[in-house]
Amino acid sequence: MAEPPEGIIIRYDGLDAANHAIEIDALGDSLKGLGRIIGVAATFAVTNKLVLHSDARPLRVVVGPPEPNCVTLEAALAWVDQSDFIAGTASALTASLVTYIVSIFAARKEEMKHLRALAEQALRQAGHRDDAIIERLLDTVDKMAESLKPSVRKAVKPVGTTARTMTVRGASM
């Protein structure tokens, strides 16, 4: 069996999460929100199209060995079944897009600029060379982020109640 593509690391720190615990309803909502964000971003990464309807997109969540003072999960894109190159490129672009979308709502301007640059770099690695096309795709990502606001609110539900912070990043970032 082939290794699944690298996933997206979801880390909750502080409060209950510091003791390797997290309130289950908040975690459930967070995973539902993140699942929608990751699914839409992954669809965009593979097709370059904004598809907001929610079809079945198998997404596997793996809990690894405990790390100090947090709860950490990895979401693997099980449905990206193309060649290793395309799957790896789609995973990298998806991770960049997800972190960018979540950071928009954290209102950290410098981080957003950095993550937008990473998303642009990931688009270039995915084979896009024309600056006008890349700019159009990034504008589409901004529209995607706006439409995913309710999912981001769900995703961050544990923050402030059962975790102090939530971090989302690509497994290799």
Side-chain angles (χ1 to χ4, degrees):
M1 182 191 293
E3 286 289 313
E6 285 191 357
I8 295 169
I9 303 297
I10 306 157
R11 179 178 167 138
Y12 305 93
D13 285 288
L15 302 176
D16 296 335
N19 297 315
H20 305 290
I22 196 162
E23 197 272 325
I24 197 161
D25 287 336
L27 178 62
D29 282 347
S30 183
L31 292 177
K32 283 181 185 176
L34 285 165
R36 176 144 166 75
I37 295 164
I38 293 167
V40 170
T43 299
F44 180 81
V46 172
T47 66
N48 292 326
K49 295 180 183 164
L50 178 56
V51 180
L52 294 173
H53 59 81
S54 182
D55 292 49
R57 296 179 187 101
L59 191 63
R60 182 175 296 148
V61 177
V62 180
V63 179
E67 294 181 22
N69 305 316
C70 69
V71 173
T72 303
L73 308 169
E74 182 175 356
L77 302 168
W79 65 278
V80 179
D81 59 355
Q82 287 111 7
S83 73
D84 288 342
F85 173 75
I86 291 173
T89 302
S91 292
L93 179 54
T94 300
S96 294
L97 295 174
V98 170
T99 55
Y100 177 66
I101 290 165
V102 172
S103 77
I104 287 173
F105 299 100
R108 296 185 200 119
K109 300 279 186 207
E110 286 305 312
E111 183 179 357
M112 286 170 37
K113 286 180 191 176
H114 174 70
L115 290 170
R116 186 174 172 96
L118 286 177
E120 181 178 341
Q121 180 183 1
L123 285 168
R124 288 188 190 281
Q125 289 174 346
H128 301 288
R129 300 288 178 245
D130 185 311
D131 289 339
I133 291 173
I134 289 173
E135 194 57 39
R136 192 183 87 236
L137 290 171
L138 289 171
D139 288 345
T140 303
V141 170
D142 290 336
K143 289 176 189 167
M144 180 189 328
E146 185 63 32
S147 68
L148 289 170
K149 267 185 183 178
S151 296
V152 174
R153 278 193 286 279
K154 269 188 173 181
V156 299
K157 188 173 180 184
V159 176
T161 58
T162 191
R164 183 166 288 115
T165 62
M166 179 186 84
T167 307
V168 179
R169 64 176 176 78
S172 60
M173 292 173 85

